[in-house]
Each structure stands twice: as C-alpha cells, then as structure tokens.
Amino acid sequence: GKVSFIELHPTSGGSFSDASKSMIQRRVPLIMMKEVYCRAPIRKSEKHSVKFVLDGQYEESEEWAELREALDPDWRVDPGNEFLEVTMEEQHWETWKRVIIDSQMNAAQLWIRFYHGEYEQHPKISGTYMRSGYGVQRWANGQIYDGDWKNHVYHGRGTLWLNKDHYESRKGGPLYEGEWERGFRHGQGIMRYEQDLHDRRGSNALSRGNNTGIKKTYEGQFQNGLFHGQGVL
C-alpha cells in the first residue's frame, strides 16, 4: 500500500522545472479580478496566502469555469462570492505582496468594475487587456456609454447617456447616438445638449434661482467630434 519516492516523480522528469511540464494549465486574466490581496497567517497552523476576488461580470466566463471545475468537478457559481485563495511559502508570498502593492491590485479596479462587455489582449503589452467589441461603460461622472469599442475607446456605433436614470428609462434620449471613430463623434449622429446655461429670473418667486438652458438637437454629420458636413440644428 505504500508509494515509492520514484512513483511521485512526474513523467516529464525529476527536477522542479520538469514538474510544470506535466501540469494542466488554466489561465485566467488578472483583468477579471476585482481585487487581489495578501493574507498573513494569524495562527501557526495557518499559511501565507493570496486571495483573488473575481469581478461579478466574469462569473459565467469560460476561463473561470475551466479553472474552478478543474479544481472541483462539483463546483457551481456562487453569485457575488467567487474567489480563489492560493497558499504558498513565505518568500513567494512576499514577492506577491510587493507586486500587488506596486500595481495597486489591492484596490478595487474602477474601470474594470464599471465596464461590462467584450475585450481583447493588447497586441504588444503582454497581460494587458483592452475594451474591444460591444460593451457598456459606466463612468465616474454618472454618464453611461452603450455601444462598440476598439483599442479601448468608442469606435463604431453607440449611445452616450446623461445618467443611469435616463439610460434605464430611455427618457429624453441620449446625449449622443450615432457613429464614433477613435473616441470621437465621427460620421452620422444625433447630439442633444444645452446652450447658454444661466440663471433665468422670472417674476414668479418659485422659479427664481433655477438654472435652465436652451435645449438644442443637432442631427447630421460629424468629424473628429465636431459638426462637419450636412446637418440640421
């Protein structure tokens, strides 16, 4: 019933570097992580570990599912609570700790958290990913972009909304709907905006102090973000 030391050697060889050749690799991009942080042992019986907390939008991703099922064939998604904790020797833990602090991976990744959509790996920077294809970005100022991306910027067709309320109710229409190129309004589109925003003081005391502007709509052609060509204002 005993196992010999030779039987423990992988078929690829007896050295540490040979061992990795016999392993099945599962790759999950760090861009899918909401947070990564180190956990130091509190008791002697505990080990140093690094915890990878998955961003909720990737819970159903193929990469995450392949990894989790390889570790546990009975695994099922636990919505809002998907993570992986890896234990390691202290010297490796210290290396991870420095990398996490230097890269600010222990802070919530804002642009990852607020973006839901397709992406691709940067062609020249390994391990870096860009928004590409269709996706929805919620910006810090409340605006929401819903549409196509290329090289991490608006490109293709898309709509830009003032805030979440307008986006969900579709009231009033978006700030801009139409074509984009390299992050700029470019091609055919409709732009809604307010001009000459100032305080209009009327005779009615209830209306005093209200900031209002002249609402305008431009429908036509754009080039590099500006009106260009034929259009109606």
Side-chain angles (χ1 to χ4, degrees):
K2 295 182 178 180
V3 179
S4 67
F5 181 72
I6 295 177
E7 289 179 280
L8 294 176
H9 282 187
T11 56
S12 54
S15 69
F16 181 78
S17 58
D18 289 332
S20 62
K21 299 177 183 177
S22 298
M23 296 181 181
I24 298 176
Q25 296 187 10
R26 295 288 184 266
R27 298 179 182 272
V28 177
L30 281 175
I31 193 174
M32 292 184 176
M33 300 301 134
K34 181 171 66 176
E35 295 176 79
V36 182
Y37 57 89
C38 290
R39 293 166 62 94
I42 300 176
R43 304 179 184 87
K44 287 186 177 181
S45 59
E46 297 178 343
K47 296 182 178 294
H48 292 79
S49 66
V50 175
K51 188 171 184 178
F52 300 84
V53 182
L54 187 72
D55 189 319
Q57 64 180 298
Y58 301 113
E59 290 176 348
E60 303 288 345
S61 68
E62 182 179 348
E63 297 95 330
W64 184 252
E66 287 183 351
L67 172 64
R68 298 295 279 118
E69 288 172 355
L71 296 171
D72 178 7
D74 296 324
W75 168 81
R76 294 292 182 271
V77 175
D78 183 6
N81 191 40
E82 282 297 321
F83 67 91
L84 182 65
E85 190 165 0
V86 182
T87 60
M88 61 190 68
E89 297 295 332
E90 185 174 359
Q91 63 268 31
H92 301 308
W93 182 83
E94 289 289 349
T95 301
W96 266 100
K97 183 179 179 181
R98 289 195 298 271
V99 171
I100 289 171
I101 292 174
D102 291 344
S103 304
Q104 297 183 331
M105 286 191 287
N106 54 333
Q109 306 300 303
L110 296 180
W111 306 125
I112 298 174
R113 178 190 292 177
F114 297 151
Y115 175 71
H116 292 254
E118 299 173 308
Y119 60 91
E120 66 178 4
Q121 186 166 358
H122 196 286
K124 296 184 178 180
I125 306 176
S126 179
T128 301
Y129 293 80
M130 306 181 299
R131 289 167 292 207
S132 183
Y134 171 75
V136 178
Q137 174 72 62
R138 291 167 170 78
W139 295 109
N141 65 357
Q143 292 184 354
I144 297 176
Y145 173 77
D146 184 340
D148 298 325
W149 299 80
K150 185 177 181 180
N151 295 330
H152 215 49
V153 297
Y154 309 157
H155 190 93
R157 292 198 62 84
T159 55
L160 182 64
W161 297 82
L162 178 63
N163 54 41
K164 180 181 177 181
D165 181 45
H166 284 207
Y167 176 67
E168 294 180 346
S169 66
R170 292 298 197 264
K171 67 181 182 182
L175 298 176
Y176 176 78
E177 56 183 312
E179 297 174 309
W180 301 80
E181 184 173 301
R182 296 176 291 107
F184 295 98
R185 295 181 293 270
H186 193 95
Q188 193 73 20
I190 301 174
M191 180 178 175
R192 300 174 179 86
Y193 62 101
E194 284 191 356
Q195 189 177 41
D196 298 328
L197 187 67
H198 62 278
D199 187 12
R200 294 173 175 270
R201 297 183 181 274
S203 57
N204 187 342
L206 294 176
S207 68
R208 292 177 184 175
N210 293 330
N211 290 327
T212 60
I214 302 174
K215 294 184 178 181
K216 292 190 174 183
T217 300
Y218 170 80
E219 181 174 358
Q221 297 174 328
F222 292 82
Q223 181 172 307
N224 296 325
L226 304 174
F227 302 160
H228 184 89
Q230 295 183 342
V232 178
L233 183 61

